[in-house]
Amino acid sequence: MIALDNVTKTYPGNVQALRGISLRVEKGEFVFVVGESGSGKTTLFKLLLKELEPTSGAIYINNKNLGKLRRKRVPILRRGIGVVFQDFRLLKDRTVYENIAFAQRVVGVPARNIRKNVMAVLALVGLTDKAKSRPDELSGGEQQRVALARALVNNPPLLLADEPTGNLDPKNSWEIMKLLEAINMRGTTVLVVTHNKEIVERMKKRVISMDKGLIVNDEKKGGYYYE
């Protein structure tokens, strides 16, 4: 599903964010990427979304070499990736339903199918009764559930989450992580960038630890292997 081969990323001023990392994430895995600020987590996340280009090395998603992907094909790549951010990034002037439906419209889903799909994903995240609410009428945990529903409505094979519990209290954080686990059990590959050590320890999934642009540890705890 995801492969990085000797990937480096150097910013202006010779700042090395990634220093020759190689990585494999198989279809159906649930992976945490952890590390202190400046470890390279955010750079890795942006490279996977092709928001940044590597200085050297190759990145593959679903067997596609991102370095050889034409610019006009980038939106198609991103349609196959659900993304959840720490700050939710919801459209404040639209209802919950409209926020999620928008993700369907941009990929050309027929209008007759949108309502069924939106309501199905709202049921999955437990927010059917909030369809007509606006984001500012919701709690932080509810807003993150909407963001998660939006990321899932197009049924992407890969879900990337950047600090999805960063703005949430412990109870809501745990509920979001259990939702991500349930989504993973349905077959979606999940990669979560986080600094929440308590959740990482409790979830017992594969953990990739980064430090100063390097992968310093890779532990597969979910029935895979230890390294």
Side-chain angles (χ1 to χ4, degrees), residues 16-64:
Q16 291 186 302
L18 296 180
R19 298 189 287 163
I21 69 170
S22 294
L23 169 67
R24 297 289 185 278
V25 175
E26 302 298 333
K27 182 178 179 181
E29 278 198 272
F30 190 122
V31 181
F32 285 111
V33 179
V34 302
E36 301 297 329
S37 178
S39 63
K41 305 190 307 297
T42 299
T43 295
L44 172 61
F45 193 88
K46 290 182 177 181
L47 286 169
L48 293 176
L49 287 175
K50 205 171 167 62
E51 291 182 0
L52 294 175
E53 300 292 336
T55 303
S56 63
I59 302 172
Y60 300 84
I61 292 183
N62 204 19
N63 296 319
K64 294 182 177 65

Side-chain angles (χ1 to χ4, degrees), residues 47 51 105 128 151 165 192:
L47 286 169
E51 291 182 0
R105 294 190 183 101
T128 305
T165 64
V192 179

Side-chain angles (χ1 to χ4, degrees), residues 66-202:
L66 301 195
K68 296 182 178 180
L69 198 65
R70 295 180 179 179
R71 184 175 297 276
K72 67 180 182 180
R73 303 287 296 179
V74 173
I76 297 173
L77 166 78
R78 291 175 179 166
R79 290 174 192 174
I81 305 174
V83 186
V84 180
F85 298 97
Q86 176 178 346
D87 56 358
F88 317 138
R89 300 196 185 182
L90 301 176
L91 301 170
K92 302 299 184 183
D93 60 341
R94 304 193 187 193
T95 66
V96 166
Y97 179 94
E98 291 164 345
N99 265 274
I100 300 168
F102 180 77
Q104 293 256 277
R105 294 190 183 101
V106 297
V107 299
V109 174
R112 64 182 179 276
N113 295 336
I114 290 178
R115 179 171 177 78
K116 178 183 70 174
N117 295 340
V118 172
M119 296 311 294
V121 78
L122 278 175
L124 176 66
V125 301
L127 288 179
T128 305
D129 61 334
K130 300 292 185 179
K132 295 181 180 180
S133 300
R134 294 186 183 275
D136 61 4
E137 298 173 327
L138 305 177
S139 68
E142 288 170 336
Q143 289 186 62
Q144 191 60 292
R145 285 171 179 255
V146 176
L148 185 53
R150 182 184 57 191
L152 293 171
V153 71
N154 292 329
N155 196 30
L158 173 63
L159 179 68
L160 303 179
D162 185 14
E163 300 285 3
T165 64
N167 288 329
L168 305 180
D169 60 38
K171 180 177 182 295
N172 280 306
S173 295
W174 185 242
E175 289 178 354
I176 290 296
M177 296 313 303
K178 295 304 288 184
L179 273 173
L180 288 172
E181 185 175 48
I183 290 157
N184 173 245
M185 294 296 290
R186 293 158 63 101
T188 301
T189 305
V190 177
L191 185 147
V192 179
V193 172
T194 186
H195 65 275
N196 193 319
K197 294 180 180 179
E198 180 182 355
I199 280 179
V200 171
E201 291 173 359
R202 289 181 66 184

